[in-house]
Amino acid sequence: MSIRFTAKARRGVVALTIAAGLALGVTGCGGGDGGDDKPNPSASTSKTGGSKPSAQEGQDSEPLAEVKGPNGLLLKITSAARDSGGFVTVSGELKNDSSEVVVIPAALSGNETEIINNGRSLGGATLVDSKGKKRYYVLRDTDGRPLTTSGFSSIKSGETIDVFLQFPAPPSGTTDVNFQLPLFSSATIQISG
C-alpha cells in the first residue's frame, strides 16, 4: 500500500508542478484589464480523497482568519503558504458549530459545471488580489476535479474536517489577499513564503 501511495504521490507532484507552471503562464498572459480573468490550469495531482497538505497540522497558533457560513459552519484558515511550484495552498478546518448535522451547501462547489459534476467540494473559493486587480480560482486537474478538499456531504454537530485549497500564486510582492467562499463571510489573509 505504501508503494502505491508513493507512486501516486510522485505522479501527483509532477502533475501539480506542470499545472502550476501552466496556471502561472495563463495568469501572466491575462489582458491586464483588471477583470475577472480565470486561470485555466490543465493538469494537477490527485483524485478525490487524495493526499492533503499537512503543513499546519497540530499547530496551536492563531488562525489567519475565521469566516462564518450558513447553519453554524465555521471555517478557520490556519495557513496560506506560497510554494516554489507557483501555487498557494490554503489550509484550515471546517467545523460544524451547531447542535445538528449540517448538509454541505452545493453553493460551496461554485457554479462551474465541470467542478459541480465532481461532487461537493470547496471549488467555489477564490483569492482576490485587490492591488493587482486579479481573482484567482481553485486549480483543477485534467479531469476537471478541483484541487481542494472534496467528497463530503454533511458534518455532524461539533465535527471538524481538515481542508485545503490550491490556487495559482499571485506575484511574489503580493502578500495580502481576500479569501472568498460562497455563503461565507470574506476575510483578508496573509500569504507566507
Side-chain angles (χ1 to χ4, degrees), residues 12-23:
V13 170
V14 170
L16 185 57
T17 303
I18 292 168
L22 291 172

Side-chain angles (χ1 to χ4, degrees), residues 65-102:
E66 287 187 2
V67 292
K68 292 184 179 184
N71 305 321
L73 289 176
L74 178 68
L75 176 61
K76 184 191 309 184
I77 300 172
T78 56
S79 72
R82 185 184 307 270
D83 296 304
S84 60
F87 57 92
V88 169
T89 301
V90 175
S91 300
E93 299 173 341
L94 182 63
K95 181 178 183 181
N96 176 356
D97 217 13
S98 77
S99 60
E100 299 178 3
V101 172
V102 173

Side-chain angles (χ1 to χ4, degrees), residues 112-133:
E112 293 183 44
T113 304
E114 193 171 41
I115 290 179
I116 292 170
N117 289 339
N118 285 291
R120 298 279 165 92
S121 71
L122 302 177
T126 59
L127 293 181
V128 178
D129 172 8
S130 299
K131 181 179 170 186
K133 298 181 180 174

Side-chain angles (χ1 to χ4, degrees), residues 1-13 46-47 50-51:
M1 183 162 157
S2 65
I3 294 172
R4 184 190 314 169
F5 177 77
T6 303
K8 283 185 177 181
R10 286 184 186 145
R11 285 193 306 266
V13 170
S46 62
K47 298 182 184 219
S51 63

